[in-house]
Amino acid sequence: MERMEARLGGEDIHPPTSIRKVAFASFIGSTVEWYDFFIYGTATALVFGQLFFPSANPLASTLAAFATFGVGFLFRPLGGAFFGHFGDRIGRKAMLVITLLVMGTATVLIGFLPTYAQVGVLAPVLLVTLRAIQGFSVGGEWAGGSLMVIEHAPPGRRGFYGAFPQIGPSAGTLLSAGVFAIVSALPEEQFLSWGWRIPFILSAIVVAVGLFIRLRIAESPIFERVKETRTEARMPIVDVFRAYGKNIVLIMGMRLAINTIYYGATVYALSYATEQLGIANSTMLTMILITAAIGFVSKPVYGAISDMIGRRPIYFAGAIVGALISFPFFWALETRSIILIFLAYVVAINVAHNLIDAIEASFYPELFGTRTRYSGAALGHQLGAAITGFTPLIAGALSAAGGWPLVAGYFTVACLVSVVCVYLATETFRKDIAEMESTEQQIAAEPRVQ
């Protein structure tokens, strides 16, 4: 393995050419993981209700499909704990390779599943099982990819480079929505018979590409220094709660805004607009495609700005805009005006969501020390995801109970909770992440049990 020189002071942690390579590799790996995760969300909104949860009541079928979408989020904290432990004990790179393989296998297998009409109740059981495996894998991937970038990045540039793995979800959305836009143009009978399977099976190709690139990057130099000095955490999950329990809780709260906005707009709103408002699938998928493409530009810009003014102001702005756009977003949908819906999507996704999403990979890991950074970032991120993973299901139930105003109110409250949590969090953009913090030093100094 190529050995990287690291400094614990204020000089560049890694040569610029190498950080560009790492940023690109993290972007590709993140794209693969989120393509796999997002095609499930798109299929949930468009076909899974009919094929795996048939019912005389279309709303009941849709809600059941949304419930399986949420199952993946329940397993994400388990994946975060598992891969976080070994990522802090063994290394970041090995976990990234494993998560990619696990996710890719589960996704491809979904493309070959029999439907309810073919095997009965076994079909949804298999679907839920593979969704759980997807969630378990994603639970470890995000933190590993983020850490590889910011632990290689030069000081003062972590926000910019940390935005690159965050472009992965935009690219994954672009690919998943694009493939579904193509196959959904098939005659309905062919789409429901075999067309929906194509995006899942194609995952095998993107996984192979991602694996090739991910295997070619070096281990984090900061973590290598921890291994060399034999100061790695003995029980990362226990140590991180002892040293950083407050930060984990704050990240959970900060996650409410980002997931509620995103999955509300790309999963729930997709179903609501097509099934209840009669807007064409292709129109809504095009909206999602355009906003995903804009994310390629907006996220690095927001990340670079956070290197100048701090993470908290950027996060504040995103969460507040998310709260303010919730009601106008649904008003725009109700008008059925393509222009107004497009503007609403741009504000919700490219302003509110992207402001937050762009700095997650730098802000969250910076809240932890190197010894437990993988575990802390993964657990905070994925516990927050578990809370919000049922956003489409909750939104569907609220809509059935009292219409879209209840859904918009739910989104507003979630964003305001994130505002409070950001206020309570510590600013981190000038922090030296290579130094061992005082709490970590105390835990590391405790005698080891022989």
Side-chain angles (χ1 to χ4, degrees), residues 57-118:
N57 184 342
L59 177 60
S61 295
T62 299
L63 291 178
F66 281 159
T68 70
F69 178 79
V71 166
F73 288 84
L74 289 180
F75 281 82
R76 282 170 67 166
L78 296 177
F82 178 85
F83 291 109
H85 173 85
F86 289 103
D88 283 325
R89 291 287 300 167
I90 299 173
R92 306 356 182 167
K93 179 178 176 179
M95 299 306 106
L96 290 177
V97 172
I98 294 171
T99 56
L100 191 63
L101 288 173
V102 173
M103 170 64 89
T105 300
T107 303
V108 172
L109 289 176
I110 290 175
F112 291 99
L113 283 181
T115 63
Y116 187 93
Q118 295 170 317

Side-chain angles (χ1 to χ4, degrees), residues 223-343:
F223 181 76
E224 284 189 333
R225 178 61 60 87
V226 171
K227 294 288 286 186
E228 289 171 359
T229 56
R230 298 179 59 81
T231 55
E232 63 267 28
R234 286 162 286 177
M235 291 294 294
I237 300 300
V238 176
D239 288 356
V240 76
F241 275 104
R242 291 173 60 189
Y244 304 103
K246 174 187 173 182
N247 289 348
I248 291 175
V249 173
L250 291 178
I251 291 175
M252 290 170 60
M254 287 191 283
R255 287 286 292 160
L256 294 182
I258 186 169
N259 271 11
T260 302
I261 295 168
Y262 190 82
Y263 293 112
T266 61
V267 179
Y268 171 72
L270 176 60
S271 173
Y272 178 78
T274 57
E275 294 182 7
Q276 299 190 41
L277 300 180
I279 301 174
N281 287 349
S282 58
T283 298
M284 295 303 298
L285 288 171
T286 299
M287 300 287 180
I288 296 173
L289 280 167
I290 294 173
T291 54
I294 295 173
F296 279 77
V297 177
S298 62
K299 290 182 183 181
V301 171
Y302 297 151
I305 294 174
S306 78
D307 284 328
M308 295 183 283
I309 67 173
R311 317 293 185 221
R312 292 172 74 244
I314 299 294
Y315 215 110
F316 264 127
I320 290 172
V321 172
L324 293 176
I325 193 59
S326 297
F327 279 89
F329 180 84
F330 283 96
W331 290 334
L333 286 179
E334 293 292 324
T335 67
R336 297 174 175 80
S337 166
I338 303 303
I339 295 176
L340 291 179
I341 294 174
F342 172 71
L343 291 175

Side-chain angles (χ1 to χ4, degrees), residues 365-434:
E366 287 170 347
L367 289 168
F368 303 93
T370 304
R371 297 174 67 256
T372 56
R373 184 169 291 134
Y374 203 133
S375 297
L379 280 172
H381 189 275
Q382 303 310 338
L383 286 170
I387 296 172
T388 54
F390 289 93
T391 291
L393 176 63
I394 295 171
L398 289 173
S399 179
W404 66 262
L406 287 182
V407 181
Y410 163 54
F411 291 173
T412 302
V413 170
C415 290
L416 292 178
V417 170
S418 293
V419 169
V420 174
C421 291
V422 177
Y423 175 79
L424 296 174
T426 304
E427 183 56 80
T428 61
F429 77 113
R430 290 197 175 100
K431 177 180 178 181
D432 184 349
I433 63 170

